[in-house]
C-alpha cells in the first residue's frame, strides 16, 4: 500500500507481488531504492515484534474512513526554537526526542510506512533482540538498514489488522540523554492487541452495555534508541527492540 | 453525590432522582445550570467509554476512607512562572498541558465530578467517537457542553465502582503542541479495570501469597484534546475520545 | 545475591542463610548496616507489591547474559545544569524527578538492589498501603527505612523471576511538583508479569508465529513520593506504594 506514493520507484505491479501473503510464506524482492544491503536477503513476512503483528500480512490497508483521524502519524517537523516568551513555547530536546518515539508507535500501530520511514536516517539500523529461555538477548535476523527499508518493512512485512482490529504500542518510564546533536532514549514498551466485537446482524443482545471488544497485552520489552539532530530534526540512527520473549518467524 | 455542593442549584431531592439507577434505565433531567443545550436531551446512564464504566450507576460514592489519599484530584492551579533560579522550577507549558490530562484520568477513576468539571471551560465540548466494524470512527451520541455538564455526567452517568473495584485510565506517548495560549495534546489511552479480591470470612487460605485481585485492560483508544490558557490556567476546550471499539448504550 | 559486593559487611554464608527460601517461610536477620530499626523485626520473604513478586524467593539472580543490556539501572547522576545553548541540553527538574521513578521501576524489575538502594536517602521511608474491601488504604507492615534497607529488601525479599520470567513496573500520568530542593511525584502504576514460552525440545510446532509468551497485568495503584535534591542528585525521602488490592504475606 502506498508504495507508489511519495516517490517510490517500484511499479505498483511489482509492489503488489512483493507484499507478503496471508499464508505468510517467504517473499523476496529487489528495488533500486531498497537495496539488497538495506533489507537482508530472505527477509520475509514477519509477525509483530513490537512492530510486527503475528498475523497474515498486508492486503487492503487499514485506513479508518471517516471522521477524526488520531493525529500523530505525520512527519514530525521541528518547530523553531524560541524562548518561552515567544508565541511558541520552547519544547525541550528531551520532549522532542520523546515525541519521536510517540510518532514511532503510532506509525507502527497504523502501519504507516511513510511516516515510520521518515523517522530514520538513511543509514539507520533497526535490530530486534529476543530473550531466550536462559535470559540472554539474541539478535533476531539481521538489522534493517535505512528509512526506506523501514518504510518498506512497515508496508509489506507488518501484518495488517483484521476487521475490527487495532493495536497500541505504548511506552513508559523514559530515560533520555541529550548531548548536543546526539540523544539516547530507553523506554519500556507494552504492546496491546485490540479486537473490536462485531455487531451481530440483528443488533446487540438485550442488556449489552459498554465497550465491546478485547484489549490484550501481547508483547513487552525495552526500546533502546540513539538519535541525531540533523537539519533541525531528530532522527533515529540506531533502534534496538529488546523483546522479553522468543520471536518465531516462519522459515527462520 | 456532591451535587448540592459547590454552588449547584439543583435541590438534593431532584439530584437524587436524576442519578441513574443500577438497572441503567434512561433518565432525563433539567436544571438551570445544566441547560438542555449543554447535555443532550435523552442523555442517560452511560457505561464508561474511557470515562464511563459498564456497570450500574452512582449510588454511595467511593471515597476511600482512611489514610493517604492519592493526590491529584484537586483543581490544578498554575504556579507562577519563574526562572529555574527561583524557588519554583519553571514548569514547561508542555508539562502543564500533560498534567491536565493526568488530572483528568484521576478524576475519571475517582468519579470526582467537581475536579473533572473544573478542567473544562464553560463552553468546552466532549465527544466520544467509536470505531465501527469497518474501521471508521462515528460519534456516539451528541457532545457534552461545558464544565458543569462534565461534572454532572461524572457524578451521575459514570458507573460507580463496586466494593473492591477501581480503575486506571492511563495515557502514554503524548504529542503536545503549544502555540501561545493554545495547546493540543494527543495521547494513547488504555483503561484498566481493577477488582480486589475479598478476604474470605475465615481468612485467606493457607499459602495465599501476594496481591489479591485482577487487573484487566478493557478499553483503549486516543484522546485528542484542545486547550486554552485562560486566567493563568490551561483549560480543556475540546476533548475527543476516540474509542477503538463499539460502545453500546442502553436505549441508544 | 550481590550481598557481598559493594561494601556490604555481611558474610556470604550469613547472607545466603538470610535469603528467603522458595517455600517463602519467614526469615529474620541482623546486620550492623541494616539495623533492626531500618527493617522491622519479623520482616520476611515478601511477594511483589509493586516491587515484590508473588513467587518463591531469590536464588540465582536473573542476569541476562550476553548482548545489549537495557540501560537504566545505573545510579543516576545529575548532569551539570547548562543552558540549552550548551552541549548538554538543560534537563528540567521535573524530568529529573520523573527519571528517578524510571530508574526505580527498572531496578525493581531487574532486582538490582544496589541501583535501587542508591535512589533513597539513608533515612528514607518506604511504606506499602493496600486497599481493603471497604476501599480504605491500610499500611502493610511497617516501613522500610533507608537506602541500605531498600537494597537489602530488593536483593533478599523480592521474588526472583523464574526462567523465562520478567516484569515491567510501568508508571503513567505523573503529577510533579518541584519547590527548590524538594519535589513530589504522584504516578499511576501497573505491574505486568512476563512469562516467555519455552522452546520445545524438538523446536516450535509448524505454524508457530510471533512472540511466544504471556504479558499479564497483576498489580496496580499509585506511587506517591517525596524527593530532596542533595549534593546535586534527587533522592527519594518518602515513598508510598498505594496498592489497589489486598496484599497477603506469609505469616503476616
Amino acid at each position: 500500500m502506498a508504495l507508489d506514493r511519495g516517490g517510490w520507484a517500484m511499479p505498483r505491479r511489482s509492489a503488489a507481488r512483493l507484499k507478503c501473503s496471508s499464508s505468510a510464506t517467504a517473499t523476496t524482492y529487489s528495488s533500486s531504492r531498497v537495496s539488497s544491503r538495506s533489507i537482508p536477503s530472505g527477509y520475509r513476512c514477519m509477525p509483530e515484534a513490537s512492530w510486527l503483528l503475528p498475523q497474515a500480512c498486508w492486503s487492503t490497508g487499514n485506513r479508518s474512513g471517516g471522521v477524526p483521524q488520531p493525529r500523530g502519524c505525520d512527519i514530525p517537523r521541528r518547530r523553531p526554537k524560541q524562548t518561552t516568551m515567544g508565541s511558541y513555547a520552547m519544547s525541550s530536546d528531551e520532549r522532542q526526542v520523546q515525541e519521536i518515539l510517540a510518532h514511532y508507535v503510532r506509525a507502527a500501530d497504523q502501519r504507516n510506512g511513510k511516516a515510520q520511514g521518515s523517522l530514520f536516517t538513511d543509514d539507520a539500523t533497526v535490530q530486534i533482540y529476543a530473550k531466550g529461555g536462559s535470559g540472554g538477548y539474541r539478535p533476531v535476523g539481521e538489522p534493517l538498514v535505512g528509512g526506506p527499508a523501514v518504510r518498506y518493512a512497515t508496508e509489506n512485512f507488518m501484518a495488517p489488522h483484521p476487521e475490527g482490529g487495532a493495536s497500541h504500542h505504548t511506552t513508559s518510564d523514559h530515560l533520555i540523554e541529550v548531548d548536543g546533536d546526539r540523544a539516547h532514549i530507553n523506554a519500556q514498551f507494552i504492546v496491546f492487541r485490540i479486537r473490536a466485537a462485531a455487531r451481530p446482524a440483528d443488533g446487540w443482545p438485550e442488556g449489552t452495555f459498554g465497550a465491546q471488544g478485547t484489549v490484550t497485552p501481547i508483547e513487552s520489552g525495552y526500546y533502546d534508541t540513539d538519535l541525531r539532530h540533523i537539519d533541525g530534526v531528530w532522527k533515529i540512527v540506531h533502534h534496538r527492540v529488546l523483546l522479553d520473549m522468543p520471536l518465531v518467524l516462519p522459515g527462520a
Side-chain angles (χ1 to χ4, degrees), chain A residues 190-243:
Chain A
I190 306 282
V191 181
F192 293 87
R193 180 178 57 202
I194 317 300
R195 293 294 178 265
R199 186 175 178 278
D202 50 353
W204 301 103
E206 183 77 21
T208 304
F209 194 50
Q212 302 299 312
T214 58
V215 179
T216 312
I218 56 169
E219 296 174 2
S220 61
Y222 297 93
Y223 293 133
D224 195 77
T225 308
D226 299 310
L227 302 96
R228 287 196 68 172
H229 197 237
I230 299 170
D231 296 336
V233 187
W234 287 101
K235 295 266 189 183
I236 299 174
V237 292
H238 297 298
H239 183 56
R240 299 165 205 91
V241 177
L242 303 170
L243 193 63

Side-chain angles (χ1 to χ4, degrees), chain A residues 120-139:
Chain A
F120 294 78
T121 62
D122 283 350
D123 57 356
T125 60
V126 178
Q127 177 69 61
I128 300 173
Y129 298 86
K131 252 191 195 168
S134 59
Y137 291 106
R138 288 175 307 172

Side-chain angles (χ1 to χ4, degrees), chain A residues 20-76:
Chain A
C20 57
S21 69
S22 62
S23 57
T25 53
T27 60
T28 59
Y29 63 91
S30 66
S31 154
S32 59
R33 300 230 0 222
V34 180
S35 69
S36 59
R37 170 181 151 271
S38 59
I39 303 190
S41 70
Y43 226 74
R44 55 181 64 80
C45 184
M46 287 177 64
E48 174 161 39
S50 80
W51 70 331
L52 305 169
L53 264 177
Q55 286 145 19
C57 292
W58 210 244
S59 53
T60 63
N62 192 48
R63 296 286 153 187
S64 46
V67 236
Q69 288 296 336
R71 298 188 225 175
C73 272
D74 304 326
I75 302 171

Side-chain angles (χ1 to χ4, degrees), chain A residues 156-213:
Chain A
N156 292 275
F157 300 144
M158 290 192 72
H161 299 303
E163 182 164 321
S167 67
H168 286 283
H169 288 65
T170 65
T171 71
S172 71
D173 301 290
H174 310 83
L175 293 170
I176 304 174
E177 296 163 71
V178 177
D179 184 4
D181 65 350
R182 293 169 184 273
H184 175 259
I185 183 167
N186 182 280
Q188 303 192 92
F189 73 83
I190 306 282
V191 181
F192 293 87
R193 180 178 57 202
I194 317 300
R195 293 294 178 265
R199 186 175 178 278
D202 50 353
W204 301 103
E206 183 77 21
T208 304
F209 194 50
Q212 302 299 312

